[in-house]
């Protein structure tokens, strides 16, 4: 009954406003009050046209006050579903007239009323009424005399109306109602590995939601709602291409607005394009054609198409097609990916290349996207190796830093970006930064995106490998079993193929940037990548990449520059000259990078101790060098700052870096008690081989200094004894 009371109050206000100049409206309002009092419930209003007519009559007067009252009451009637569908045409005609009035409040009321219509049961279900309602909104949006408030409201109203129209299609076609692409663009976390984990969980839930409720076969037929939304989709595509909309009867709107709506539809209504053939055809023939034309860089862009915002929208739409539709749009996705990879190497504005790198980086941290792309393209003999091409393009961006005049500044900026990200804050320039500083920052941003993209691929391989272990396609490194002669699982085969195709490019790029970088956050992130990829190679029994990554990692563990101490000694009493005799003295300085690399090596060794086999020799050579460093009186470590987790409590405290490294070194061999018998034999064999090589070198006189040889022999013998002591239980 609250509605009845509110309507009666509005009718009294309308009667009072019309009393002097519009007696017919006054009489009609009073008559409507009497009619209203005769009704027993609001639902009976729909049967009485006089109540609706008085509000339409008030709007026809076209004065601001009476129109505001009339439109407000129309909104109440519509929202309470007490307006007959037959009255929709008359209501839309009234709204069209008010949309053309110059008063801002009436224009806003008109937009508000149209949105309420789309949200109610009165939502138009035929093409003429829908086109008329949407046309009113677009005319207010594109009217040069409209205020910013009206334009912004019109844009938001049109977007909501489009969403409601497509929601109705999903319902009418009996399709699952989840918005499968929503939330694709999520904020970046503090590490690339976290991004990969979050994205794979999100994409799994989206795919499960689709597969659980969606039909398995595509169909050609459309409901009335489906046909209506298809007309809208075609018109939006034409407007985004710079043409006119035939159905909406609009000559043009801002291309960015139309393109933004297309991107919204593509990302939120995936099910329509996966199930309904007419929608899939519009996507393939019209939308993809539009995007390919917009992506072209061989012609000078004109107007909006050259603006960064337009380019960003084009790239986001392309990314959504690749991410969500590449399995059905194989050829189109292949063309898109080839165009994106080519853009990186072209002489284009830096902002343009950064936009493309952001898209490629997004693919790389999405394990499911990478999995689908690699299966559909790189593993398909007739298709291009798009993932391999993408990784090589990112690696070229990383290596390009060495050819820049501002190499050192760019490296420092890249390190700063990783450091800021590790702390959970956005890296930013000072407001008074010079143009040169802005250029360096932009170049560093591009390189950072490329590094994160490569790390994304690394963590994707690691994530998929762990998934293959969880599903039983691969044996866990903890299991005591011989590697299978041939892998048969789909995910396992994919991982092996990805490693074989990508490892060399990734290793070259990561080792290069690790060698050049001094920032602690970037070093930690790259070493995480080393660890993840090396462990994946071990689980996959990919021997060559495993050994190559281990060898590369070991190069960053111990740096032993040799200082030469000169002492003048008189050779003989009769000699008239003195000669400097050289006595080498090892000065070992472990940098934070060395220490973190050693910890990474220990982590890998613990994880893969059952599967390293002959690869133990690479690890043991490094551990022997570490053992000599630990016992050297000339060994020191550099102080680690507080920006990252420290290995030491303080530089002079009980837990120095060397103490911890020594403990880790001992624990590795003590943990041999947990290793399989075959793995223990491999470790002992590698120790024997190391000592044998050193003894042979000592006898021949070639190779490292004798102190190093004897140190390695002692290390090998001590570790053999430790292994035997810790494995006595398995010998009994």
């Amino acid at each position: 009954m609250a509605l009845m009371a509110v309507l009666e109050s509005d009718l009294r206000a309308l009667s009072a406003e019309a009393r002097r100049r519009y007696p017919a409206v006054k009489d009609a309002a009073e008559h409507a009050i009497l009619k209203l009092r005769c009704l027993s419930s609001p639902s009976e209003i729909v049967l009485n046209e006089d109540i609706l007519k008085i509000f339409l009559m008030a709007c026809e007067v076209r004065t601001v006050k009476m129109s505001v009252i009339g439109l407000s009451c129309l909104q109440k009637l519509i929202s309470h579903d007490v307006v007959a569908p037959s009255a929709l045409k008359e209501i839309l005609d009234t709204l069209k007239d008010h949309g053309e009035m110059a008063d801002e409040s009436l224009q806003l009321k008109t937009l508000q009323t149209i949105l309420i219509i789309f949200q109610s049961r009165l939502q138009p279900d035929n093409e003429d009424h829908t086109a008329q309602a949407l046309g009113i909104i677009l005319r207010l949006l594109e009217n040069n005399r409209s205020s910013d408030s009206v334009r912004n409201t019109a844009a938001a109203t049109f977007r909501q109306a489009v969403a409601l129209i497509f929601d109705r299609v999903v319902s009418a076609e009996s399709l699952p109602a989840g918005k499968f692409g929503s939330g694709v663009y999520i904020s970046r976390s503090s590490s690339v590995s976290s991004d990969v984990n979050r994205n794979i969980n999100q994409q799994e839930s989206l795919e499960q939601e689709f597969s659980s409720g969606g039909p398995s076969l595509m169909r050609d037929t459309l409901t009335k709602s489906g046909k209506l939304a298809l007309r809208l989709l075609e018109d939006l595509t034409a407007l985004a291409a710079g043409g006119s909309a035939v159905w909406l009867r609009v000559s043009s709107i801002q291309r960015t607005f139309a393109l933004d709506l297309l991107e919204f539809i593509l990302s939120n209504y995936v099910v329509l394009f996966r199930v309904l053939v007419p929608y899939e055809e519009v996507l393939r023939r019209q939308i993809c054609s539009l995007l390919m034309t917009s992506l072209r860089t061989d012609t000078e862009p004109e107007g909006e198409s050259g603006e960064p915002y337009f380019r960003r929208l084009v790239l986001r739409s392309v990314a959504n097609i690749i991410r969500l539709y590449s399995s059905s749009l194989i050829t189109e996705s292949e063309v898109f990916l080839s165009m994106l990879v080519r853009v990186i190497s072209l002489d284009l504005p830096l902002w343009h290349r950064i936009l493309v790198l952001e898209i490629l980086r997004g693919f790389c941290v999405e394990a499911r996207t990478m999995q689908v792309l690699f299966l559909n393209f790189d593993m398909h003999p007739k298709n291009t190796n798009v993932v391999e091409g993408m990784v090589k393009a990112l690696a070229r961006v990383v290596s390009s830093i060495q050819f820049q005049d501002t190499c050192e500044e760019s490296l420092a900026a890249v390190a700063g970006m990783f450091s800021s990200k590790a702390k959970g804050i956005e890296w930013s320039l000072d407001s008074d930064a010079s143009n040169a500083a802005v250029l360096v920052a932009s170049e560093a941003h591009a390189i950072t995106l490329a590094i994160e993209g490569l790390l994304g691929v690394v963590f994707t391989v690691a994530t998929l490998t762990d998934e293959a272990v969880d599903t039983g396609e691969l044996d866990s490194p903890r299991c005591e079993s011989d590697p299978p002669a041939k892998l048969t699982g789909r995910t396992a085969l994919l991982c092996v193929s990805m490693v074989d195709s990508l490892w060399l490019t990734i290793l070259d790029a990561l080792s290069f940037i690790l060698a050049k970088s001094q920032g602690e956050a970037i070093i930690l992130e790259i070493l995480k990548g080393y660890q993840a990829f090396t462990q994946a190679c071990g689980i996959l029994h990919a021997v060559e990449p495993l050994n190559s990554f281990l060898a590369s990692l070991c190069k960053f563990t111990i740096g032993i520059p040799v200082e030469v101490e000169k002492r003048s000694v008189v050779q003989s009493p009769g000699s008239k000259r003195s000669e400097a005799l050289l006595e080498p003295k090892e000065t070992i300085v472990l940098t934070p990078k060395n220490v973190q690399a050693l910890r990474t090596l220990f982590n890998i060794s613990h994880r893969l101790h059952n599967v390293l086999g002959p690869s133990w020799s690479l690890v043991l050579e490094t551990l022997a060098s570490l053992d000599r460093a630990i016992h050297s009186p000339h060994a020191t470590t550099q102080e680690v700052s507080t920006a990252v987790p420290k290995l030491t409590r303080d530089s002079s405290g009980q837990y120095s870096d060397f103490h911890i490294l020594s403990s880790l070194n001992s624990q590795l061999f003590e943990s041999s008690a947990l290793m399989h018998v075959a793995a223990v034999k491999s470790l002992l064999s590698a120790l024997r081989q190391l000592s044998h090589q050193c003894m042979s070198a000592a006898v021949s006189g070639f190779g490292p200094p004798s102190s190093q040889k004897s140190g390695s022999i002692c290390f090998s013998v001590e570790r053999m004894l430790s292994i035997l002591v810790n494995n006595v239980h398995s010998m009994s």
Side-chain angles (χ1 to χ4, degrees):
M1 297 301 291
L3 174 63
M4 310 281 275
V6 171
L7 288 176
E8 183 172 337
S9 175
D10 289 335
L11 286 169
R12 289 185 183 280
L14 187 60
S15 175
E17 182 66 30
R19 184 173 63 249
R20 291 185 179 180
R21 298 182 59 186
Y22 306 101
V25 175
K26 172 183 173 295
D27 293 342
E30 292 174 350
H31 179 70
I33 291 173
L34 296 175
K35 288 273 188 179
L36 195 63
R37 289 175 177 174
C38 296
L39 302 179
S40 58
S41 68
S43 60
E44 296 179 11
I45 296 176
V46 71
L47 304 175
N48 197 314
E49 294 183 356
D50 290 345
I51 296 174
L52 174 65
K53 291 288 185 184
I54 179 57
F55 297 127
L56 292 173
M57 184 186 297
C59 292
E60 288 173 1
V61 174
R62 295 171 71 91
T63 65
V64 174
K65 287 187 177 180
M66 293 183 65
S67 291
V68 167
I69 295 173
L71 290 177
S72 297
C73 292
L74 283 177
Q75 291 176 11
K76 292 166 188 171
L77 294 175
I78 295 168
S79 60
H80 284 82
D81 294 320
V82 291
V83 177
S86 58
L88 179 59
K89 184 180 186 308
E90 193 173 359
I91 293 173
L92 289 175
D93 290 339
T94 300
L95 293 173
K96 179 178 178 294
D97 293 338
H98 281 70
E100 295 170 353
M101 294 175 67
D103 186 81
E104 180 179 322
S105 63
L106 286 181
Q107 291 175 340
L108 292 173
K109 274 288 183 185
T110 299
L111 291 169
Q112 191 178 52
T113 306
I114 292 175
L115 181 58
I116 291 174
I117 289 174
F118 276 102
Q119 292 171 333
S120 70
R121 294 180 184 176
L122 206 60
Q123 179 179 339
D125 60 357
N126 68 60
E127 294 183 3
D128 290 338
H129 289 165
T130 304
Q132 185 179 3
L134 295 176
I136 296 170
I137 303 172
L138 289 178
R139 278 187 288 275
L140 284 170
L141 175 65
E142 293 301 311
N143 191 337
N144 293 329
R145 292 176 295 176
S146 296
S147 65
D148 290 342
S149 176
V150 170
R151 284 200 191 93
N152 292 336
T153 304
T157 302
F158 193 86
R159 186 184 181 95
Q160 291 179 70
V162 168
L164 291 166
I165 289 170
F166 278 88
D167 284 342
R168 173 177 275 195
V169 178
V170 172
S171 175
E173 300 288 351
S174 301
L175 299 173
K179 295 191 176 181
F180 308 102
S182 58
V184 165
Y185 298 97
I186 57 177
S187 59
R188 289 157 65 180
S189 62
S190 60
S191 69
V192 180
S193 58
S194 299
D195 288 343
V196 172
N197 291 333
R198 288 198 302 169
N199 275 294
I200 195 169
N201 292 333
Q202 181 194 42
Q203 289 182 315
E204 280 178 348
S205 65
L206 295 177
E207 290 298 328
Q208 288 170 2
E209 189 174 1
F210 175 78
S211 59
S212 63
S216 58
L217 298 176
M218 296 187 72
R219 59 177 187 262
D220 295 312
T221 57
L222 293 177
T223 62
K224 189 176 181 180
S225 297
K227 293 175 182 177
L228 186 152
L230 187 65
R231 294 290 302 271
L232 174 58
L233 181 67
E234 290 174 329
D235 269 15
L236 288 175
T237 305
L239 291 168
S244 59
V246 177
W247 176 61
L248 290 173
R249 295 188 286 276
V250 175
S251 58
S252 67
I253 61 173
Q254 284 190 349
R255 294 181 65 188
T256 51
F257 179 69
L259 192 57
D260 186 41
L261 286 169
L262 282 180
E263 193 268 336
F264 169 76
I265 295 167
L266 288 173
S267 62
N268 285 276
Y269 298 95
V270 180
V271 64
L272 298 181
F273 300 94
R274 288 187 177 181
V275 175
L276 304 177
V277 172
Y279 281 82
E280 196 259 356
E281 289 179 348
V282 170
L283 172 59
R284 184 189 301 274
R285 297 175 183 175
Q286 298 180 36
I287 298 177
C288 286
S289 176
L290 159 68
L291 295 175
M292 286 179 189
T293 303
S294 301
L295 267 184
R296 290 178 59 184
T297 56
D298 54 355
T299 58
E300 188 67 26
E302 298 179 358
E304 286 182 90
S305 61
E307 295 296 323
Y309 182 64
F310 183 85
R311 286 287 178 183
R312 183 182 292 276
L313 284 175
V314 170
L315 290 169
R316 283 182 56 171
S317 299
V318 168
N320 274 323
I321 288 176
I322 294 170
R323 182 181 289 110
L324 301 170
Y325 306 101
S326 61
S327 295
S328 57
L329 301 177
I330 296 290
T331 303
E332 291 78 8
S333 296
E334 188 172 1
V335 172
F336 282 137
L337 284 163
S338 299
M339 294 176 78
L340 291 176
V341 169
R342 190 167 63 90
V343 164
I344 296 177
S345 59
L346 295 178
D347 186 20
L348 294 172
L350 188 54
W351 63 261
H352 192 168
R353 284 182 281 140
I354 286 175
L355 290 179
V356 175
L357 286 168
E358 287 176 345
I359 296 299
L360 296 182
R361 187 259 183 206
F363 292 153
C364 291
V365 300
E366 295 167 6
R368 284 287 170 260
T369 298
M370 294 298 288
Q371 182 181 29
V372 170
L373 292 179
F374 202 87
L375 281 170
N376 289 340
F377 297 100
D378 294 62
M379 292 185 71
H380 196 288
K382 294 184 179 180
N383 293 335
T384 307
N385 294 342
V386 295
V387 173
E388 181 181 351
M390 192 189 315
V391 170
K392 286 182 177 178
L394 294 174
R396 284 194 296 271
V397 173
V398 173
S399 62
S400 68
I401 195 171
Q402 61 187 314
F403 305 113
Q404 296 176 4
D405 296 334
T406 56
C407 176
E408 295 301 323
E409 293 90 338
S410 295
L411 282 170
V414 170
M417 291 177 181
F418 272 90
S419 179
S420 296
K421 184 179 178 182
K423 298 172 184 175
I425 59 177
E426 285 293 328
W427 186 89
S428 61
L429 275 173
D430 295 332
S431 57
D432 58 347
S434 64
N435 290 336
V438 172
L439 177 61
V440 169
S442 299
E443 291 171 343
H445 183 42
I447 293 165
T448 299
L449 289 170
I451 294 171
E452 290 185 345
L454 292 172
L455 289 172
V457 176
V458 165
F459 292 121
T460 289
V461 171
T463 300
L464 294 176
T465 301
D466 290 341
E467 186 179 279
V469 172
D470 293 339
T471 57
E473 293 185 24
L474 292 170
D475 291 328
S476 167
R478 303 296 183 193
C479 296
E480 186 170 6
S481 59
D482 295 328
K486 185 178 181 181
L487 296 175
T488 56
R490 187 180 185 217
T491 304
L493 288 171
L494 168 76
C495 293
V496 169
S497 184
M498 288 186 78
V499 168
D500 289 343
S501 174
L502 308 175
W503 74 266
L504 190 56
T505 304
I506 292 173
L507 178 58
D508 286 345
L510 293 187
S511 61
F512 166 76
I513 203 69
L514 183 57
K516 295 287 185 181
S517 298
Q518 298 303 322
E520 294 160 13
I522 187 174
I523 288 172
L524 281 175
E525 194 74 5
I526 293 175
L527 288 175
K528 285 181 187 176
Y530 261 82
Q531 179 175 330
F533 200 85
T534 307
Q535 290 176 176
C537 291
I539 295 171
L540 295 167
H541 302 285
V543 177
E544 185 180 3
L546 169 65
N547 288 340
S548 298
F549 266 80
L550 277 176
S552 175
L553 178 62
C554 290
K555 290 179 182 177
F556 296 104
T557 54
I558 304 285
I560 310 179
V562 177
E563 292 184 356
V564 177
E565 185 180 281
K566 296 183 178 181
R567 293 192 302 176
S568 295
V569 179
V570 179
Q571 282 192 319
S572 64
S575 175
K576 294 184 179 180
R577 66 182 180 87
S578 63
E579 183 174 344
L581 297 181
L582 304 182
E583 180 178 310
K585 180 180 73 175
E586 288 184 348
T587 301
I588 305 169
V589 180
L590 291 188
T591 65
K593 185 190 296 185
N594 298 144
V595 174
Q596 295 294 353
L598 282 165
R599 295 195 70 175
T600 302
L601 184 63
F602 282 122
N603 291 339
I604 293 171
S605 301
H606 276 290
R607 170 72 171 160
L608 299 181
H609 59 205
N610 283 326
V611 297
L612 278 177
S615 301
W616 270 115
S617 58
L618 292 168
V619 177
L620 293 176
E621 289 177 10
T622 301
L623 297 186
S625 298
L626 172 62
D627 190 67
R628 290 196 304 275
I630 290 171
H631 294 94
S632 170
H634 307 294
T636 61
T637 61
Q638 291 181 357
E639 179 67 19
V640 183
S641 79
T642 56
V644 295
K646 294 175 63 175
L647 288 180
T648 60
R649 289 187 181 178
D650 56 65
S651 57
S652 59
Q654 177 183 2
Y655 299 104
S656 69
D657 289 340
F658 277 128
H659 284 128
I660 293 179
L661 291 173
S662 177
S663 176
L664 291 173
N665 199 355
S666 300
Q667 288 173 11
L668 177 62
F669 295 93
E670 291 169 3
S671 67
S672 64
L674 305 175
M675 294 167 60
H676 305 149
V677 174
V680 174
K681 290 180 179 178
S682 295
L683 179 54
L684 288 170
S685 176
L687 285 167
R688 184 196 63 79
Q689 181 182 353
L690 176 63
S691 61
H692 178 72
Q693 288 175 348
C694 291
M695 285 189 288
S696 299
V699 172
S700 64
F702 294 103
S706 58
S707 60
Q708 291 188 23
K709 298 170 189 172
S710 60
S712 296
I713 295 171
C714 291
F715 168 82
S716 300
V717 173
E718 289 176 2
R719 295 304 180 260
M720 286 182 189
L721 291 174
S722 174
I723 292 170
L724 293 174
V725 169
N726 284 283
N727 284 273
V728 169
H729 64 281
S730 61
M731 300 177 186
S732 56

